[in-house]
Amino acid sequence: MTLLLRTTDPIVRRRAERVAAQFGLPIDGEGEPAGLLVELELDGAVAAVSAIRAEHPELTIVGFVSTSDPELWREGERAGADEVTTRGRADRALAKHLDDRLSGRRRARR
């Protein structure tokens, strides 16, 4: 399993790398993805969330925004993100959702 990162933000990347290490996941490695952290302001990011959700229905997807953009936030949710959050909380949201998925709690709630 691997953690996919789609961000240009070095601070978010560093924090996400710590989360990946906590779960023993390589970043953008080979194999089945366990999660995706995506910067929704990037070109094509919302469409990518939708496409990845369709391909991997159980994948943990956390989108984040750096600016206050309620419409982009809603687009990320509609595209299939498990959670959309702010840049500063992205790593914590990712850790929470990965923990739920990898422990089996997410499947139990569904």
Side-chain angles (χ1 to χ4, degrees):
M1 296 190 100
T2 187
L3 178 63
L4 306 175
L5 294 182
R6 302 296 178 259
T7 180
T8 59
D9 188 310
I11 293 170
V12 172
R13 179 170 280 280
R14 240 186 342 267
R15 289 176 176 176
E17 287 170 351
R18 285 195 296 261
V19 171
Q22 174 185 344
F23 291 98
L25 299 171
I27 302 289
D28 295 328
E30 298 294 321
E32 181 74 18
L36 166 67
L37 179 63
V38 60
E39 183 177 348
L40 294 175
E41 284 105 347
L42 296 177
D43 287 339
V46 174
V49 167
S50 184
I52 291 171
R53 173 59 71 211
E55 187 176 336
H56 301 282
E58 294 296 317
L59 181 68
T60 294
I61 301 176
V62 174
F64 73 92
V65 294
S66 299
T67 59
S68 179
D69 188 342
E71 183 55 33
L72 184 57
W73 192 294
R74 284 189 293 275
E75 286 178 26
E77 290 173 336
R78 284 192 299 262
D82 292 300
E83 184 171 344
V84 177
T85 189
T86 61
R87 173 181 173 256
R89 294 192 44 81
D91 59 318
R92 286 175 277 184
L94 178 65
K96 177 185 81 166
H97 286 282
L98 280 175
D99 186 45
D100 279 356
R101 176 168 187 235
L102 297 176
S103 70
R105 286 189 300 267
R106 178 179 177 177
R107 185 176 306 267
R109 279 198 302 267
R110 286 186 176 198

